[in-house]
Amino acid sequence: MTHDPYSSYPNHPQHPQHPQQQSPTYPWQPQRPPEPVARRRPRREALGRHSDLRILRGAYRRQRRVATLTALGYFTVFLLLSALAPSFMTRPVTDGLPAGLLLALLQLPVTWLAIALYEHTARRHVDPLADRIRRLAALDAKRGAAR
């Protein structure tokens, strides 16, 4: 593909003329406004500490994984047993209660366990980290307001 320096597209990125010059080919076209001058903002210190945020994200990610794998793992095992071991699922555990029905009824307590595990890990690991980051951000904001 070749480059046409006399392209009829004035907004083409490789157009040879300066944006302030009027086109000799099209003098009736209005001049383009000047491009704004890019101004740099003054450099500020970052609020918080990035390592704290990484630690918080990691703790939250572990919390989600543990709770999700608890509930979905049990449900996946239940589905696999239903599909691959029907003789086990139909075997009676007590009078008239097959193993499959018992495992299905246990799905609700396992889900409650996953929720309780999620809340426990939140209170023990994630919330203290989030509170610490919140306190440091408030302290940084006070220092920034005092300047």
Side-chain angles (χ1 to χ4, degrees):
M1 182 171 181
T2 61
H3 170 67
D4 182 10
Y6 303 104
S7 172
S8 61
Y9 303 105
N11 293 330
H12 192 270
Q14 297 176 349
H15 196 266
Q17 71 186 21
H18 189 271
Q20 290 299 316
Q21 296 174 349
Q22 199 168 15
S23 171
T25 310
Y26 305 105
W28 60 85
Q29 287 185 340
Q31 289 184 341
R32 284 186 249 165
E35 293 186 24
V37 178
R39 295 182 184 174
R40 291 187 178 192
R41 292 183 171 179
R43 190 168 193 122
R44 296 182 188 173
E45 291 182 21
L47 292 176
R49 289 168 180 76
H50 295 290
S51 63
D52 291 340
L53 293 176
R54 268 195 302 273
I55 293 169
L56 179 64
R57 279 194 309 265
Y60 184 60
R61 190 177 307 121
R62 279 189 301 277
Q63 176 192 18
R64 286 184 317 216
R65 284 181 185 159
V66 167
T68 302
L69 290 177
T70 301
L72 287 180
Y74 181 83
F75 187 67
T76 303
V77 167
F78 174 73
L79 289 178
L80 288 174
L81 284 173
S82 297
L84 301 176
S87 61
F88 172 75
M89 297 298 269
T90 56
R91 182 179 307 150
V93 177
T94 61
D95 293 329
L97 183 65
L101 183 59
L102 180 65
L103 291 176
L105 292 175
L106 286 176
Q107 181 67 42
L108 189 62
V110 168
T111 304
W112 288 340
L113 175 71
I115 292 170
L117 188 62
Y118 187 87
E119 289 178 0
H120 173 74
T121 57
R123 274 191 231 110
R124 184 154 186 200
H125 299 289
V126 179
D127 289 347
L129 288 171
D131 290 339
R132 177 177 169 214
I133 291 171
R134 199 175 295 119
R135 281 193 309 270
L136 290 174
L139 184 64
D140 285 345
K142 286 180 184 177
R143 287 181 188 163
R147 288 183 196 173

